[in-house]
Amino acid sequence: MPEETTAKPMVEDVVPNDVFASTDYQEWRDAMSQLYLPTLDAAADEPFRAEVNGFLLGSGTLGRCASVQQAFSRSRTQIGRDGVDNYMIQIFLKGRCHARTARGDVILDAGDICIFDNAEPLDTVNEDFDLMALAVPRDRLAPLLHEPDGLHYRRVRRDTPLAHLFRTHVLDVYRMAPAIRAADGPQVFSALVHFLAAVINNGRELSDEQTSLLQQSVLQEVRRHIDANLESENLTVEDIAARFGISRTKLYRHFEPYGGVAAFVRERRLAAAYHKLTDPYALPFNNNAIAASVGFQSESAFIRAFRRRYDMTPGEARRQRHAAAMSAASGAATRYTWPAWFAGV
């Protein structure tokens, strides 16, 4: 059987990407000062480090940023000078943000959806952090909101269902970003903005597009749950519907294109088994161990299902092991464009 290959987009066809990694605080300060002015605690003992991986998605940006504890400020003088008029949406994966406001301090916890209005002064302290940052032009987000004013330092708690779904969606987009075609970047960003508006509006009067995005996010959560629990016997329609609080009818409708829930689960189990068998770095488990690890009750049932799906036995698949091609790591850019992206959207 000829080996299948997946075509990858040419580098010039994907959304622009810029990477920053430095242990030089002054270099970081120079880059960040296009939007925020960072200040390190002089008494801090931890060596300085900062990393940014940013993507330009049409009229907005999405990136991941990690660094040590420091303060960030944005003065009215800087606001008047640079004329930036956008929102910065941050989701802390690690660490917290302490925001000092005229109404008192606000603590933004890891997992919360944090909204900063860059047309307003900023005075914050970030703990040692790792965060996702989404920069959205005001004219893209404000028209979708019921109450577009007063969003600065707005916090959407991490334990709300919409916040959880949006956080998961942002991370999914970030993981897919290196392969997103440039022509698709604006549509991906538009979906993010509509989803964000649904979160800020707290689900009130959702548009058809926002409702569709939420339904897709629930489906992604169900699929992620299935992939994480392939060995479990509790992947029935009843169990999944009860876990996610959705009706059996809706669940059937979600998985109808895949032939139903059971067919989808069986497909994912077989795909996981195929990966285990052909992964050159995996331990050489026997068929019985692999069958059990992906939820088959017997080795014979596993072999029959595998042969029907792949037209080969597990043993034949195991002999196809080959080393995965490793893409060359791209070097860090000498001039960084991500600060201009964040400030210019």
Side-chain angles (χ1 to χ4, degrees), residues 12 20 86 145 169 197 234 242 262:
E12 61 267 23
F20 173 97
N86 60 34
L145 302 178
H169 185 64
N234 299 322

Side-chain angles (χ1 to χ4, degrees), residues 55-91:
F55 297 90
L56 182 62
L57 302 172
S59 61
T61 64
L62 176 64
R64 187 167 184 172
C65 177
S67 190
V68 299
Q69 178 168 318
Q70 59 198 281
F72 292 93
S73 63
R74 180 168 168 79
S75 67
R76 291 200 179 277
T77 300
Q78 183 174 2
I79 293 168
R81 183 174 62 246
D82 61 31
V84 171
D85 190 22
N86 60 34
Y87 299 104
M88 179 67 72
I89 315 303
Q90 295 184 348
I91 305 173

Side-chain angles (χ1 to χ4, degrees), residues 9 12 19 46 52 91 106 146 184 195 199 201 203 207 213 223 262 264 273 278 294 305:
E12 61 267 23
V19 178
E46 184 178 1
V52 177
I91 305 173
V106 176
H146 297 311
D184 295 330
F195 202 155
V199 174
N201 289 335
S207 67
L213 284 167
R223 294 179 63 171
F264 179 82
T278 59
V294 295

Side-chain angles (χ1 to χ4, degrees), residues 117-140:
D117 186 339
N118 284 326
E120 298 288 341
L122 182 88
D123 184 7
T124 63
V125 175
N126 286 4
E127 297 176 357
D128 191 21
F129 66 92
D130 181 0
L131 61 81
M132 302 302 303
L134 177 68
V136 183
R138 184 180 304 277
D139 60 6
R140 292 296 306 275

Side-chain angles (χ1 to χ4, degrees), residues 233-249:
E233 297 179 1
N234 299 322
L235 290 180
T236 65
V237 171
E238 293 77 10
D239 290 321
I240 295 172
R243 177 181 179 86
F244 288 90
I246 56 180
S247 69
R248 293 175 56 179
T249 300

Side-chain angles (χ1 to χ4, degrees), residues 9-44:
M10 299 296 290
V11 172
E12 61 267 23
D13 289 337
V14 297
V15 296
N17 172 225
D18 196 23
V19 178
F20 173 97
S22 180
T23 56
D24 184 340
Y25 167 64
Q26 190 58 50
E27 183 179 22
W28 165 251
R29 185 179 171 89
D30 290 345
M32 281 300 299
S33 62
Q34 293 192 47
L35 191 58
Y36 306 122
L37 185 64
T39 304
L40 281 178
D41 184 346

